[in-house]
Amino acid sequence: MHENSRQMEKGGLTVLNPEDDFRFQCHQNLECFTRCCRDITIFLTPYDILRMKNRLGISSENFLAAHTATMIGSAGLPVKVLKMQADSEKNCPFVTARGCTIYPDRPWACRIYPLQPESTKITQKTGKEYYSIMDVPFCLGLKSDRVSTVAGWIEKQGIPIYREMEAAFKKITMNEVLSNKEITNNEIQQMYYMACYDLDRFRRFVMESTFLKRFEVEPDVVEKIKHNDVELYHFAMRWLEYGLLGQGVLKVKPEIIKAKKEASENQ
Ligand code: SF4
Ligand code: SF4
């Protein structure tokens, strides 16, 4: 660690502020090169999946089927992990002897290494960021003399756009409506899965079902989501806010409300 670092020691853990620095450098000439890309659990965010499937030029359906496994997280909602290969070393499907083949669109977890965000009730309350350095004994990059600041590393690794996208997702997952709740309804789990992870199917759902006949969606938004995955992602989060959290971010068309009312009166 750099001498000027204002790092704190908490229970044996070195906790860094964004302005603190750390030593690390990864390169092809290290004996450990790609050693970290095997037998590892990598949780994928919706934005990770968007970037990875587009880098591979395949649909979200094909990406999810070929490269991910599903686990059930807190609140009973599905979370995705990257599926390692079935070889004896359990290599990541994207690693070769020359490194990561999807490097510009590698997942968030691969980007931020060796940093690890430290989130506790205290850090959440103060709204401050703290990081620790992951303790990976075989990683020779941690023995390097190359010094980076935490903030500089985050910028260099392209983390800000991932954070921005994650904020829209966390607005749903961290919402108090979902805290202390266990969703067991399969239809809701499927709706969440499609909106978060299976964006190409979500696009078909919006464009090809009665969706646009039922909801008031701004014409410019409709145009954008036809081709733009990031816009579609934001719209998917908006749909979840409406459907999962009951927030009025989408409006049902008046004629649909009227027809429903009339139908219930005639029953
Ligand atoms: S230095 Fe660390 S991050 Fe880089 S290849 Fe080696 S183990 Fe992986
Ligand atoms: S996605 Fe790339 S960086 Fe991440 S584990 Fe796989 S090969 Fe390594």
Side-chain angles (χ1 to χ4, degrees):
M1 296 290 160
H2 196 261
E3 283 177 357
N4 296 330
S5 173
R6 272 170 280 159
Q7 68 213 28
M8 298 173 276
E9 293 283 341
K10 281 186 183 167
L13 188 72
T14 301
V15 182
L16 304 176
N17 293 293
E19 63 273 25
D20 289 335
D21 49 35
F22 63 100
R23 293 180 190 277
F24 178 70
Q25 188 180 23
C26 174
H27 56 85
Q28 264 187 336
N29 300 329
L30 292 171
E31 239 177 74
C32 59
F33 189 59
T34 73
R35 168 76 181 80
C36 50
C37 298
R38 67 173 87 134
D39 199 9
I40 182 170
T41 303
I42 297 177
F43 287 94
L44 298 175
T45 67
Y47 186 61
D48 282 332
I49 292 172
L50 184 163
R51 292 273 297 250
M52 292 165 88
K53 64 116 181 159
N54 285 345
R55 156 79 29 187
L56 296 170
I58 60 176
S59 68
S60 52
E61 289 105 318
N62 288 345
F63 178 83
L64 294 169
H67 299 304
T68 69
T70 306
M71 292 164 74
I72 296 297
S74 57
L77 293 169
V79 292
K80 299 301 284 179
V81 292
L82 185 58
K83 200 158 64 184
M84 297 291 126
Q85 292 185 68
D87 58 26
S88 58
E89 289 190 325
K90 296 187 183 159
N91 279 304
C92 171
F94 307 115
V95 72
T96 66
R98 288 168 53 204
C100 177
T101 53
I102 58 162
Y103 191 78
D105 295 294
R106 67 202 182 284
W108 178 92
C110 304
R111 285 169 189 271
I112 199 153
Y113 179 86
L115 298 177
Q116 176 166 260
E118 286 300 323
S119 179
T120 63
K121 279 186 181 154
I122 297 170
T123 62
Q124 281 165 14
K125 251 188 197 168
T126 57
K128 287 192 174 169
E129 294 171 38
Y130 298 103
Y131 297 86
S132 62
I133 304 289
M134 290 178 79
D135 180 18
V136 179
F138 61 76
C139 176
L140 299 174
L142 293 169
K143 300 189 189 333
S144 161
D145 286 339
R146 174 76 65 91
V147 175
S148 304
T149 63
V150 169
W153 185 255
I154 283 170
E155 197 63 39
K156 194 170 166 211
Q157 299 303 313
I159 298 289
I161 182 67
Y162 283 78
R163 267 191 189 154
E164 191 188 319
M165 295 294 149
E166 188 67 359
F169 181 52
K170 279 191 175 159
K171 218 168 147 188
I172 316 281
T173 56
M174 308 288 271
N175 194 287
E176 56 184 23
V177 171
L178 294 184
S179 58
N180 306 320
K181 207 174 183 178
E182 180 79 20
I183 291 173
T184 51
N185 181 312
N186 188 254
E187 235 175 81
I188 297 177
Q189 288 172 334
Q190 290 301 321
M191 167 182 99
Y192 177 89
Y193 183 95
M194 176 174 67
C196 291
Y197 306 120
D198 202 349
L199 270 190
D200 293 314
R201 189 156 62 90
F202 179 68
R203 177 179 282 118
R204 289 199 301 277
F205 167 68
V206 174
M207 306 308 297
E208 296 171 18
S209 74
T210 56
F211 191 101
L212 294 174
K213 288 195 176 88
R214 289 183 288 127
F215 290 100
E216 282 180 351
V217 184
E218 304 81 350
D220 64 315
V221 172
V222 176
E223 274 315 301
K224 283 182 196 161
I225 64 178
K226 280 182 189 168
H227 310 290
N228 185 322
D229 276 2
V230 170
E231 293 289 343
L232 183 65
Y233 168 81
H234 283 300
F235 186 71
M237 294 302 114
R238 191 173 149 195
W239 185 60
L240 287 181
E241 266 189 79
Y242 169 83
L244 210 53
L245 308 180
Q247 294 181 3
V249 288
L250 267 181
K251 281 200 169 60
V252 177
K253 288 188 173 176
E255 58 269 33
I256 300 292
I257 298 174
K258 192 170 165 230
K260 270 195 178 171
K261 206 175 158 200
E262 284 169 3
S264 72
E265 282 167 0
N266 292 336
Q267 270 176 2

